[in-house]
Amino acid sequence: MGRRVIADDVVKGILAGYDPEKVVIAAYCSHSSLQIFHGAKREGFRTLGIHERRKDVRYYDAFPAAKPDEFFPMDSITDILDRQDELIEKNVILIPHGSLVEYLKVPNFEKLRLPTFGNKAVLAWESDRSAQREWLVGGGLLMPMEVKDPRDIDRPVLCKQGGAKGGRGFFIAKSHSDWVKAISEGDLKAEDYTTIQEYILGTRYYLHFFYTPLRDDGFRVGEGRLELMSMDRRDETNIDEMYKLGSQTELKDMDIYPSFVVTGNIPLVIRESLLPKVFQMGEGVVNKSIELFGGMVGSFCLETVITDKLDFFTFEISARIVAGTNPYPTGSPYAAYMEDNISTGQRIAREIKEAIRMGALESILS
Amino acid sequence: MGRRVIADDVVKGILAGYDPEKVVIAAYCSHSSLQIFHGAKREGFRTLGIHERRKDVRYYDAFPAAKPDEFFPMDSITDILDRQDELIEKNVILIPHGSLVEYLKVPNFEKLRLPTFGNKAVLAWESDRSAQREWLVGGGLLMPMEVKDPRDIDRPVLCKQGGAKGGRGFFIAKSHSDWVKAISEGDLKAEDYTTIQEYILGTRYYLHFFYTPLRDDGFRVGEGRLELMSMDRRDETNIDEMYKLGSQTELKDMDIYPSFVVTGNIPLVIRESLLPKVFQMGEGVVNKSIELFGGMVGSFCLETVITDKLDFFTFEISARIVAGTNPYPTGSPYAAYMEDNISTGQRIAREIKEAIRMGALESILS
Amino acid sequence: MGRRVIADDVVKGILAGYDPEKVVIAAYCSHSSLQIFHGAKREGFRTLGIHERRKDVRYYDAFPAAKPDEFFPMDSITDILDRQDELIEKNVILIPHGSLVEYLKVPNFEKLRLPTFGNKAVLAWESDRSAQREWLVGGGLLMPMEVKDPRDIDRPVLCKQGGAKGGRGFFIAKSHSDWVKAISEGDLKAEDYTTIQEYILGTRYYLHFFYTPLRDDGFRVGEGRLELMSMDRRDETNIDEMYKLGSQTELKDMDIYPSFVVTGNIPLVIRESLLPKVFQMGEGVVNKSIELFGGMVGSFCLETVITDKLDFFTFEISARIVAGTNPYPTGSPYAAYMEDNISTGQRIAREIKEAIRMGALESILS
């Protein structure tokens, strides 16, 4: 049985024209790009940094081992659609991350012909909340309950705006009247809040997986293998340290409200007895992705909360490299137990190198 | 003067029959077993994973550098008592950890003839709370006050059930009436709460030591040397993030109560000016252990809180490898300053290797 | 154009007498001295530990790779002034850190003739709060508002005593009456509280920079280059875990008040999209330091809070190695992207080695 192909005919045609000796790894200059470039350089690739002209990219000067060999400035990130041929001419493979997808927007990203790491078909299942729920629950995961109508809020809920906004504008409500107050006092638009999700109390673990269709040794799932690269916890301003000032009730009187804007990441490990569940979750998600849309490929992250019954609730999936891998440019407490203690960025580059060697780029790019 | 021997005649007899070239390092498949196997493999040992048949051990497939060479499935962990001869025939040395002791139960563990890393005599002093207090306070450590009678609760206390339950069922009370309410509302059994301990407010540091009787260079204690391998802080659900929802008083109205179930570990370092105290505590505990029961050997952990007077209060000792060492499979900020930057798992394997070389297994196994 | 010289004639004269082959790196035995000695040893230097006789320095015995080659005991740290000639005779270069400056006191430190890493002229701008504000705000940084008169407290403020006391005695007030209560109930002296600073709600990042005048490749600032070595978050007792016991209002009734005593450090990384701002801040501070007093050299730390608008507020600068670099003795997630993944301690030693090679010690010592 042959390996599954995720590239469509257009991308296949483009790949057919690539010189495998001259592949260039590209990323949008933000999010986890230092790690992506660093990993690609370590694997011997030439690198290219895509950025908007107005953005300050001088910080790469401080990191010579992670500075792209070449910059590709644009007026706006959406110009990438019109300038794909320039990148294709350079034999570019694009490594997407959350900021690229957010700024480029999903429909534009899906339109790219430029060979891109991972399966673009995941976007339809990831960016629509009910499709995502069908996928994850279908894969056997527990998810926080969704509340369709704010009038039904009868327990703590987290109210989120659509789109990955880094947590800005999120708020917690414990009742419908909390909701009404938050919307009116915060001068917010109720219709922006596309997600009202049960607030699951527990500790948060962001689990960084890698799924490769190129190998079937190791932890086998589908025709490929599942790896656990690392995990982290996100730092969120101002919710994380708000308690130092007083209770939320007290702070409301000073017009101070909780917010959930991500500012960084803390390394951690999980209790070993929870690893079987961690892998079962990763396995369920991959298997269901194969069934639904031909399968995810490469990095993905399950964003979970563990309750005091030791149940995992997944509140989100991210189907590409997450910034939570940034604490680990030279390996992690989990990668240490693999063949080689490398970062997710380097793991991606190695996957591409392996696919080139095997003539299997069509199975990992789309 | 000869080196102290901790093995009894039965274990000595078994060790006499071992082929030192063919020693196998075994651990129960949970807790810190990835680290133990990884360390043993790095030191060149063959490894064996003991597990219960119903437990899912596929996760080792994802970690080839930490996967045991052989599995030893049982119906129940207590079967190990009947099947010791099989393990002895394989030249097995068992590395115990908290989950093994918890599931096997102390009296069963103490009955093992199978050569086991560390001094089993510690169990009597570790598992009985008043004996533990005698040991630690005798070693010069401060401990939180114990409250014998719930009616005497006159300050914040932590109420714990007997046995290492990962924090499940712990609660905080500030008065006798709090206690009464918690017991009745939580439908708990008062008699399960064998420990009512003063709640010491501060930052928690779990200090991971290693004591070797095989060397007397370095930080000398007794006839051996004390090492500080690393430290961590435990993640506990739901207490850690509970404040994000509201004050505990508010949450009680929603039937949400704090719990203290450990889910993982965060790496950290301590202020260098506190290291002299850290070593004095380790020294006091080791010296007193020699006096009381012939001495601990190998890994142990002091679980401490530091108050704003910079006093350390120790609320527990664990006399073997703790899961808090899991963030450090390739070394730690403290191991970096030693001869070699290795994990506690590898340190244990190296100790066994050294003892084999010196013909001194009787001094580190029991 | 020549390189800027920061050594005065006295120090220049002393350096002229030094044998560059026999330079000894010295530090006061506390704070980050393990890291400093470890780094110096790795770079091939001989090391010397300065300490007060009554302090227990046995902990170095546990860390052979970080133990100074020689100890230099004194009755009191201030004796260093009278014993400088002994140290000068040994070709000593002193690496200062926060504890040294705190215990020796600023005027004594400024009087030292002993060649010291970094520019002593920074002290006048760092130790005086209004001078510090002129410097940092002049460098383009946002700082929390200062309240001159406690009667003007109209929002959450942090009240700090003068001098680096590790946070002891700090308190939060939300109004003038809070202030009055805290002072009277805590039996504190109002006049000790030299700083009343707006409490900025957010996540805290302690940014560890290194500025070298010896290289102009990389991220160029002035005639030299700016590096970002690592970052951390401080652990503070009892404020960090206080919420577990109840709200601050509830705890006041039990005579429990928040305190901010530093006990350790947690490693972390920042969102990559914030790095341009991080470097702009470092750049602004260095440029302004050149303008004001001839420039900082070597390690410095910006202590910042990030609000949910993603604005950085800097509440303090520390113009030398901070203890927050201690989680990283073998490198950090940022150093990994440089030429070499080394600690700040080793980076300092390498700077001195480079300056010796170039004959440029006068540009990095004062």
Side-chain angles (χ1 to χ4, degrees):
Chain A
M1 207 202 87
R3 195 168 288 111
R4 187 178 307 108
V5 167
I6 58 170
D8 63 16
D9 289 343
V10 177
V11 172
K12 273 195 241 176
I14 292 166
L15 286 175
Y18 270 24
D19 179 346
E21 300 293 312
K22 294 190 176 163
V23 160
V24 173
I25 301 271
Y28 178 60
C29 288
S30 190
H31 190 275
S32 51
S33 75
L34 284 165
Q35 192 198 142
I36 292 169
F37 296 137
H38 178 250
K41 285 159 95 93
R42 284 194 158 197
E43 292 296 318
F45 284 104
R46 202 174 149 73
T47 49
L48 179 142
I50 296 168
H51 67 98
E52 293 174 302
R53 262 192 197 85
R54 66 194 157 79
K55 290 270 179 75
D56 180 357
V57 292
R58 286 181 309 149
Y59 69 97
Y60 292 102
D61 290 342
F63 302 118
K67 182 179 175 174
D69 298 304
E70 188 182 345
F71 282 100
F72 191 86
M74 296 180 303
D75 290 324
S76 157
I77 179 65
T78 47
D79 292 354
I80 197 174
L81 287 170
D82 296 328
R83 297 182 60 189
Q84 290 180 80
D85 289 338
E86 294 172 57
L87 293 167
I88 288 167
E89 200 146 318
K90 288 174 191 284
N91 293 281
V92 158
I93 291 175
L94 178 66
I95 314 299
H97 52 57
S99 299
L100 175 77
V101 176
E102 184 192 343
Y103 294 129
L104 187 53
K105 304 235 180 326
V106 172
N108 287 324
F109 179 72
E110 285 175 323
K111 259 183 257 167
L112 282 178
R113 284 174 297 124
L114 181 66
T116 300
F117 183 65
N119 188 354
K120 282 201 201 89
V122 72
L123 263 300
W125 293 89
E126 186 190 10
S127 59
D128 176 272
R129 294 210 60 88
S130 68
Q132 189 182 112
R133 181 168 284 266
E134 184 187 335
W135 172 19
L136 300 187
V137 172
L141 273 56
L142 295 175
M143 292 188 78
M145 208 188 63
E146 295 275 346
V147 176
K148 301 285 175 209
D149 186 330
R151 281 168 300 190
D152 296 336
I153 301 173
D154 65 349
R155 69 191 74 188
V157 293
L158 189 61
C159 306
K160 301 188 199 182
Q161 295 176 310
K165 296 257 191 291
R168 200 186 293 277
F170 286 22
F171 66 87
I172 292 169
K174 287 164 210 155
S175 62
H176 181 233
S177 69
D178 273 9
W179 158 275
V180 170
K181 246 201 269 177
I183 293 287
S184 68
E185 289 177 358
D187 207 11
L188 306 168
K189 289 182 190 160
E191 60 271 24
D192 286 349
Y193 286 81
T194 49
T195 307
I196 302 175
Q197 208 173 51
E198 184 183 5
Y199 187 94
I200 302 288
L201 197 54
T203 40
R204 289 169 300 125
Y205 290 78
Y206 296 77
L207 310 168
H208 318 144
F209 292 96
F210 193 92
Y211 179 69
T212 171
L214 304 183
R215 299 192 58 163
D216 59 6
D217 55 340
F219 192 97
R220 187 159 178 179
V221 177
E223 310 287 314
R225 93 173 190 189
L226 182 65
E227 303 168 7
L228 178 69
M229 299 301 298
S230 51
M231 45 190 79
D232 81 297
R233 179 164 306 145
R234 287 193 193 150
D235 264 6
E236 292 172 340
T237 179
N238 63 15
I239 188 68
D240 286 1
E241 305 216 5
M242 196 174 182
Y243 68 87
K244 294 184 179 177
L245 260 188
S247 75
Q248 291 182 20
T249 315
E250 284 166 24
L251 293 178
K252 269 182 199 163
D253 296 339
M254 290 190 260
D255 267 332
I256 300 177
Y257 296 90
S259 54
F260 300 82
V261 181
V262 179
T263 54
N265 305 274
I266 290 180
L268 45 62
V269 298
I270 210 167
R271 205 169 151 165
E272 189 174 315
S273 59
L274 296 173
L275 284 181
K277 274 196 198 177
V278 165
F279 277 92
Q280 285 156 26
M281 290 192 295
E283 184 178 31
V285 162
V286 171
N287 276 331
K288 193 73 189 174
S289 79
I290 294 171
E291 184 191 319
L292 291 176
F293 55 85
M296 278 190 301
V297 165
S299 307
F300 67 98
C301 175
L302 295 179
E303 308 179 11
T304 70
V305 184
I306 309 179
T307 68
D308 56 7
K309 311 284 185 232
L310 295 179
D311 289 323
F312 283 86
F313 282 82
T314 301
F315 49 95
E316 190 99 45
I317 187 170
S318 178
R320 56 201 64 73
I321 185 172
V322 288
T325 59
N326 286 339
Y328 306 111
T330 57
S332 83
Y334 295 98
Y337 299 141
M338 301 186 198
E339 287 94 350
D340 222 350
N341 192 7
I342 59 174
S343 73
T344 290
Q346 188 170 355
R347 181 67 189 82
I348 291 170
R350 189 168 289 179
E351 184 77 353
I352 292 169
K353 205 159 127 184
E354 184 78 354
I356 290 172
R357 200 186 52 73
M358 298 166 72
L361 281 175
E362 301 177 352
S363 292
I364 63 163
L365 305 179
S366 69
Chain B
M1 206 201 85
R3 196 167 288 112
R4 187 179 307 107
V5 167
I6 59 170
D8 63 18
D9 289 343
V10 177
V11 171
K12 274 195 240 174
I14 292 167
L15 285 174
Y18 271 23
D19 179 346
E21 300 293 312
K22 293 190 176 164
V23 160
V24 172
I25 301 271
Y28 179 59
C29 288
S30 191
H31 191 273
S32 51
S33 76
L34 284 165
Q35 192 197 143
I36 292 167
F37 296 137
H38 177 250
K41 286 160 95 93
R42 284 193 157 197
E43 293 294 319
F45 284 104
R46 202 176 149 72
T47 49
L48 179 141
I50 295 168
H51 67 98
E52 292 174 302
R53 262 191 197 86
R54 67 194 156 78
K55 290 270 178 76
D56 180 358
V57 292
R58 287 182 307 149
Y59 69 97
Y60 292 101
D61 290 342
F63 302 117
K67 182 178 175 173
D69 298 305
E70 188 183 345
F71 282 99
F72 191 85
M74 296 180 304
D75 290 325
S76 157
I77 179 65
T78 47
D79 293 354
I80 198 174
L81 287 170
D82 297 327
R83 297 182 60 189
Q84 290 181 81
D85 289 337
E86 294 172 58
L87 293 167
I88 289 167
E89 201 147 319
K90 288 174 191 284
N91 294 282
V92 158
I93 291 175
L94 178 66
I95 315 299
H97 52 58
S99 300
L100 175 77
V101 176
E102 184 191 343
Y103 293 128
L104 187 52
K105 304 234 182 330
V106 171
N108 288 324
F109 179 72
E110 285 175 322
K111 260 183 256 165
L112 281 178
R113 285 174 296 123
L114 181 66
T116 299
F117 184 65
N119 188 353
K120 281 201 201 88
V122 71
L123 263 300
W125 293 88
E126 186 190 8
S127 59
D128 177 272
R129 293 210 60 88
S130 67
Q132 189 182 113
R133 180 169 286 265
E134 183 186 337
W135 172 19
L136 300 187
V137 172
L141 273 56
L142 296 175
M143 292 188 79
M145 209 188 62
E146 296 275 346
V147 177
K148 301 284 175 209
D149 186 330
R151 281 167 299 190
D152 295 335
I153 301 174
D154 65 349
R155 67 191 74 187
V157 294
L158 189 61
C159 306
K160 302 188 198 181
Q161 295 174 311
K165 296 257 190 292
R168 200 186 293 278
F170 285 22
F171 66 87
I172 292 169
K174 287 165 212 155
S175 61
H176 181 233
S177 68
D178 272 9
W179 159 274
V180 171
K181 246 202 269 179
I183 293 287
S184 68
E185 289 176 359
D187 207 13
L188 305 169
K189 289 182 191 161
E191 61 271 24
D192 286 348
Y193 287 81
T194 49
T195 308
I196 302 176
Q197 208 171 50
E198 185 184 4
Y199 187 93
I200 302 289
L201 197 54
T203 41
R204 289 169 298 126
Y205 290 79
Y206 295 76
L207 310 169
H208 318 144
F209 293 95
F210 192 91
Y211 179 70
T212 171
L214 304 183
R215 299 191 60 163
D216 59 5
D217 56 340
F219 192 99
R220 188 159 179 178
V221 178
E223 310 287 314
R225 93 172 188 188
L226 182 65
E227 302 168 8
L228 178 69
M229 299 301 298
S230 50
M231 45 191 81
D232 81 298
R233 179 163 307 144
R234 287 194 194 150
D235 265 5
E236 292 172 340
T237 180
N238 62 17
I239 188 68
D240 285 1
E241 305 215 4
M242 196 175 183
Y243 69 86
K244 295 185 180 177
L245 260 188
S247 75
Q248 290 182 21
T249 316
E250 284 167 24
L251 293 178
K252 269 183 199 164
D253 296 339
M254 290 190 259
D255 267 333
I256 300 176
Y257 296 90
S259 54
F260 299 81
V261 182
V262 178
T263 55
N265 306 275
I266 290 181
L268 45 65
V269 299
I270 210 167
R271 204 169 153 165
E272 189 174 315
S273 59
L274 296 173
L275 284 182
K277 274 196 198 178
V278 165
F279 277 92
Q280 284 157 25
M281 291 192 295
E283 183 178 32
V285 162
V286 171
N287 275 332
K288 192 75 189 174
S289 78
I290 294 170
E291 184 191 320
L292 291 175
F293 55 86
M296 280 188 302
V297 165
S299 308
F300 66 98
C301 175
L302 295 179
E303 308 179 10
T304 70
V305 184
I306 309 179
T307 67
D308 55 8
K309 311 283 186 232
L310 295 178
D311 289 323
F312 283 85
F313 282 81
T314 300
F315 48 95
E316 191 97 46
I317 186 171
S318 179
R320 56 202 62 75
I321 185 172
V322 288
T325 59
N326 286 338
Y328 307 110
T330 57
S332 83
Y334 294 99
Y337 299 140
M338 300 186 197
E339 286 93 353
D340 223 350
N341 192 7
I342 59 174
S343 74
T344 290
Q346 188 169 355
R347 182 67 190 81
I348 291 170
R350 188 167 289 178
E351 184 78 353
I352 292 170
K353 205 159 127 185
E354 184 78 354
I356 291 172
R357 200 185 52 74
M358 298 166 72
L361 281 176
E362 301 177 353
S363 293
I364 63 163
L365 306 179
S366 70
Chain C
M1 209 204 83
R3 196 167 290 110
R4 187 179 307 108
V5 167
I6 59 171
D8 62 17
D9 289 343
V10 177
V11 171
K12 272 195 242 178
I14 292 167
L15 285 175
Y18 270 23
D19 179 346
E21 299 293 311
K22 294 189 175 163
V23 160
V24 172
I25 302 272
Y28 179 59
C29 289
S30 190
H31 190 274
S32 51
S33 76
L34 284 165
Q35 192 198 142
I36 292 168
F37 296 137
H38 178 250
K41 285 159 95 95
R42 284 193 157 197
E43 293 294 319
F45 285 103
R46 202 174 149 72
T47 49
L48 179 141
I50 296 167
H51 68 97
E52 292 174 303
R53 263 190 197 88
R54 66 194 156 78
K55 290 271 179 74
D56 180 357
V57 293
R58 285 182 308 148
Y59 69 96
Y60 292 101
D61 290 342
F63 303 117
K67 182 179 175 174
D69 298 304
E70 187 182 344
F71 282 99
F72 191 85
M74 296 180 302
D75 290 324
S76 157
I77 179 64
T78 46
D79 292 353
I80 198 175
L81 287 170
D82 296 328
R83 297 182 60 190
Q84 291 180 79
D85 289 338
E86 293 173 57
L87 293 167
I88 288 167
E89 201 147 318
K90 288 174 190 284
N91 293 281
V92 158
I93 291 175
L94 177 66
I95 314 299
H97 51 57
S99 300
L100 175 76
V101 176
E102 184 191 342
Y103 294 128
L104 188 51
K105 303 233 182 327
V106 171
N108 288 323
F109 180 71
E110 285 175 322
K111 261 183 257 166
L112 281 178
R113 284 174 297 121
L114 182 65
T116 299
F117 184 65
N119 188 353
K120 281 200 201 91
V122 71
L123 263 299
W125 294 88
E126 186 190 9
S127 59
D128 177 90
R129 293 210 61 87
S130 69
Q132 190 183 112
R133 181 168 284 265
E134 183 186 336
W135 171 20
L136 300 187
V137 172
L141 273 57
L142 296 174
M143 292 187 79
M145 209 187 62
E146 296 275 346
V147 177
K148 302 284 175 208
D149 186 330
R151 281 168 298 189
D152 296 336
I153 300 174
D154 65 349
R155 69 192 72 188
V157 294
L158 190 60
C159 307
K160 301 188 198 181
Q161 296 175 310
K165 296 255 191 294
R168 201 186 293 276
F170 286 21
F171 66 86
I172 292 169
K174 288 165 210 155
S175 63
H176 181 234
S177 68
D178 273 10
W179 159 275
V180 170
K181 246 201 269 177
I183 293 287
S184 68
E185 289 177 358
D187 207 13
L188 307 169
K189 288 181 191 162
E191 61 271 25
D192 285 348
Y193 287 81
T194 49
T195 307
I196 302 175
Q197 207 171 51
E198 184 184 4
Y199 187 93
I200 302 288
L201 197 54
T203 41
R204 288 169 300 125
Y205 289 79
Y206 295 75
L207 310 168
H208 318 143
F209 293 95
F210 192 90
Y211 179 70
T212 171
L214 304 183
R215 298 192 59 164
D216 59 7
D217 56 340
F219 192 98
R220 188 160 178 178
V221 177
E223 310 286 315
R225 93 174 189 187
L226 182 65
E227 302 170 7
L228 179 69
M229 299 302 297
S230 52
M231 44 190 80
D232 81 297
R233 180 164 305 145
R234 287 192 193 152
D235 265 5
E236 293 172 340
T237 180
N238 63 15
I239 187 69
D240 286 0
E241 306 215 4
M242 196 175 183
Y243 69 87
K244 295 184 179 177
L245 260 189
S247 74
Q248 291 182 20
T249 315
E250 284 167 25
L251 293 177
K252 269 182 200 165
D253 296 340
M254 289 190 259
D255 267 332
I256 300 177
Y257 296 89
S259 54
F260 299 82
V261 182
V262 179
T263 54
N265 305 275
I266 290 181
L268 46 63
V269 298
I270 210 168
R271 206 171 153 163
E272 189 174 315
S273 60
L274 296 174
L275 283 181
K277 273 195 199 177
V278 165
F279 277 92
Q280 284 157 25
M281 291 192 296
E283 185 178 30
V285 162
V286 171
N287 275 331
K288 193 72 188 176
S289 79
I290 294 171
E291 184 191 320
L292 291 176
F293 55 85
M296 278 189 302
V297 164
S299 308
F300 66 99
C301 174
L302 295 179
E303 309 180 8
T304 70
V305 184
I306 309 179
T307 67
D308 56 7
K309 311 285 185 231
L310 295 178
D311 288 323
F312 283 85
F313 282 82
T314 300
F315 48 95
E316 191 98 45
I317 187 170
S318 178
R320 56 203 61 74
I321 185 172
V322 288
T325 59
N326 286 339
Y328 306 111
T330 58
S332 83
Y334 295 98
Y337 299 141
M338 300 186 199
E339 286 94 351
D340 223 349
N341 192 7
I342 59 173
S343 73
T344 290
Q346 189 169 355
R347 181 67 190 82
I348 291 170
R350 189 167 290 179
E351 185 77 353
I352 292 170
K353 204 160 127 185
E354 185 78 353
I356 291 173
R357 200 187 51 75
M358 297 167 73
L361 282 175
E362 302 177 352
S363 292
I364 65 163
L365 306 179
S366 69

